[in-house]
Amino acid sequence: MSSHLPAQGVPAGSDPVPRPSRRRLLRNAMAGAGALLATGPLSGCASPASASGASSLSVWDLFQGGDGMLMDDMIGAVSKGAGGAKGFEVDRTILDWGPSYYTKLAMSAAGGRASDVAAMHLSRLAGYAPGGLVDAFDLDLLAEYGVTEKDFTPAVWSRTRHEGTVYAIPLDVHPFIVFYDRKAAEKAGLLDTSGELAPMGSPEALLEAGKALAEATGEAGILFGHVTDTAQNWRLFAGLYAQTGAAFDLPDGGPPKIDVDAAVRVVTLMTRLFDGRTNPNNLDYNGALAAFTNGRGGMAMLGEWELPTLKKSGVELGAAPFPQVFDKPAVYTDSHSFVLPHQDSPDPARRREAHRYVAQILKQSLTWASAGHIPAYQPVLAEPEYAALKPQSSYADAAKVAVLDPPNWFAGAGSNFQNRMCQPLQSALLGNTTPEKAVRQMVREADTLLSQPNPVA
């Protein structure tokens, strides 16, 4: 996901379950932040009730490729009545991921033509809940179907709320982690007695790990693709910055509350790590991915969503949460979640079915885990079948120390905020500016965004 792309290449298998009743793929979506202000109906999308009859549950998501096929399987299972539960008739609409998806979601809610359930990155909730574009979940109703707050890690659940009310239910946690070549890591002396990546604990240990992996492979040590990417540098910076324990608060109206000294420490480490010698400093996303799959590096810093691709590479693959090198464990992540797009007068029976649907899909998330995603619904992690998933179970603890984007309307997956943070970081990694200047530019960019009003609040 040079920005967060869906996992690719997961085979459909025999697919014994039937497909949902209807499946529509809408492309060429409208883009532009100004569209968030639109209040007219969303052209080309029938209202849920008229699309398939009142009995169909209308669901929007952005899952394509391998993720899309897995979601097909999960919807198929609940539609049949998995576990003896009553089934569903589901009208699924798949839209292209990116700003256009969130524009369409906002317009459908504002225009009164919203689906019953929709997928949303949890990091985007702050742009939708304050403006009334999503409706609150009824936690008592969810509990009737076996889903409660205690089923999620506090780190993730804490981001489901706006002003104390829950507006999103997480499906997964998808962290920025490290994949490594087990043979190279063993040769470099980086594995513990159980054969997993040993803790590092300091910036110097991470730097030494890169050198040891480079020596073990005869190529690069650690690979990281960031050139022209709109999210990668931010993912790396944000996770490391959170490990320092410093605050990165962006209060409405500004100014930003960012620990400049801590930020400079992080960017300095990034420039030392990707020095252009031990570890390349000039790779784009696909270049880093290709280098790792072709054995030209011992470790790669990537999102877990690349697992299906990496499993095909022939590399003896290991994975771990992003190593702790500063004062506290933290892993940059996001979460695909379910929301209830706003409806002026929701039908109580349909809204009840929407809650039941979300609960039933969560209970199918062992299927979702096969693509690399960590199920947010913790009871699935306790199943022996999940423990048997390798290397997925090796990085499941990342969900306990998950760190998302700041809860601001302009931040989150696919946002301009991430892009604006990445540009000075890219300059620093390429040697075109100093860490100090890069951090000052990041603070200026954040201050500029804070001066702009939320267009949907």
Side-chain angles (χ1 to χ4, degrees):
M1 295 178 167
S2 350
S3 57
H4 183 156
L5 298 176
Q8 301 293 318
V10 179
S14 57
D15 197 12
V17 296
R19 296 292 186 191
S21 59
R22 297 187 64 191
R23 179 177 175 180
R24 294 168 288 151
L25 180 60
L26 305 184
R27 297 191 180 276
N28 302 318
M30 292 168 291
L36 289 171
L37 293 170
T39 57
L42 182 58
S43 175
C45 294
S47 65
S50 64
S52 309
S55 62
S56 293
L57 200 66
S58 173
V59 177
W60 280 19
D61 67 53
L62 38 64
F63 304 124
Q64 301 178 32
D67 279 359
M69 288 185 280
L70 291 176
M71 185 54 66
D72 272 350
D73 291 344
M74 294 162 69
I75 292 174
V78 302
S79 296
K80 286 175 58 180
K86 178 185 173 184
F88 295 90
E89 183 180 351
V90 177
D91 181 8
R92 180 184 179 200
T93 298
I94 308 168
L95 299 101
D96 282 336
W97 135 258
S100 61
Y101 176 80
Y102 288 106
T103 298
K104 280 182 173 282
L105 189 60
M107 290 180 67
S108 70
R113 304 175 75 83
S115 60
D116 294 303
V117 180
M120 174 182 282
H121 287 86
L122 196 54
S123 63
R124 296 297 295 256
L125 186 63
Y128 289 76
L133 294 176
V134 290
D135 292 336
F137 276 90
D138 183 332
L139 298 187
D140 291 335
L141 191 51
L142 271 178
E144 285 186 33
Y145 301 120
V147 175
T148 66
E149 176 180 348
K150 66 180 177 59
D151 295 321
F152 303 87
T153 67
V156 176
W157 186 259
S158 65
R159 293 297 300 268
T160 66
R161 298 179 182 272
H162 170 65
E163 296 183 346
T165 300
V166 172
Y167 287 91
I169 302 299
L171 169 64
D172 65 30
V173 179
H174 46 270
F176 185 71
I177 63 172
V178 292
F179 290 100
Y180 57 92
D181 182 323
R182 285 189 173 277
K183 291 181 179 178
E186 182 178 19
K187 187 175 179 181
L190 299 180
L191 303 184
D192 62 18
T193 54
S194 65
E196 300 294 332
L197 190 68
M200 294 187 184
S202 71
E204 291 301 326
L206 181 59
L207 294 168
E208 289 301 317
K211 293 176 183 176
L213 286 167
E215 185 176 339
T217 62
E219 299 272 356
I222 300 174
L223 300 165
F224 173 64
H226 70 100
V227 176
T228 71
D229 193 275
T230 58
Q232 279 287 90
N233 275 313
W234 169 248
R235 291 173 181 138
L236 179 56
F237 170 86
L240 287 170
Y241 182 89
Q243 289 186 5
T244 69
F248 196 105
D249 295 331
L250 304 179
D252 290 342
K257 296 181 179 179
I258 300 170
D259 187 324
V260 171
D261 291 340
V264 170
R265 285 174 63 201
V266 169
V267 181
T268 299
L269 173 59
M270 290 169 64
T271 60
R272 292 180 66 199
L273 183 63
F274 298 104
D275 56 3
R277 298 183 297 275
T278 302
N279 310 311
N281 66 345
N282 60 352
L283 296 176
D284 64 15
Y285 189 92
N286 290 328
L289 188 62
F292 183 69
T293 57
N294 290 323
R296 300 198 305 273
M299 179 180 288
M301 295 178 172
L302 294 164
E304 51 73 24
W305 50 86
E306 295 297 351
L307 180 61
T309 298
L310 297 181
K311 277 192 166 182
K312 295 178 177 180
S313 68
V315 172
E316 191 174 328
L317 192 64
F322 198 93
Q324 178 187 345
V325 298
F326 287 117
D327 300 330
K328 58 181 287 188
V331 178
Y332 178 78
T333 190
D334 207 334
S335 166
H336 293 119
S337 300
F338 293 115
V339 295
L340 304 173
H342 174 68
Q343 297 178 3
D344 289 334
S345 300
D347 177 80
R350 292 181 71 89
R351 189 50 61 91
R352 171 176 281 273
E353 282 294 274
H355 282 70
R356 188 171 74 88
Y357 172 83
V358 169
Q360 292 299 315
I361 287 288
L362 292 181
K363 294 173 184 179
Q364 293 294 315
S365 53
L366 184 64
T367 298
W368 197 237
S370 66
H373 312 307
I374 304 171
Y377 184 63
Q378 295 291 289
V380 171
L381 300 186
E383 296 178 11
E385 292 87 351
Y386 184 79
L389 289 177
K390 299 296 182 182
Q392 289 95 314
S393 57
S394 300
Y395 55 82
D397 283 350
K400 299 177 182 178
V401 291
V403 174
L404 281 73
D405 274 15
N408 295 82
W409 68 266
F410 51 74
S415 66
N416 189 39
F417 167 77
Q418 291 187 349
N419 186 34
R420 290 169 79 157
M421 293 296 104
C422 280
Q423 290 175 15
L425 291 168
Q426 175 180 290
S427 293
L429 262 64
L430 293 176
N432 297 328
T433 193
T434 65
E436 291 80 7
K437 289 181 179 178
V439 170
R440 285 200 295 270
Q441 185 179 342
M442 293 171 72
V443 173
R444 286 195 299 270
E445 295 285 358
D447 197 34
T448 297
L449 288 168
L450 286 169
S451 69
Q452 301 171 2
N454 183 348
V456 299

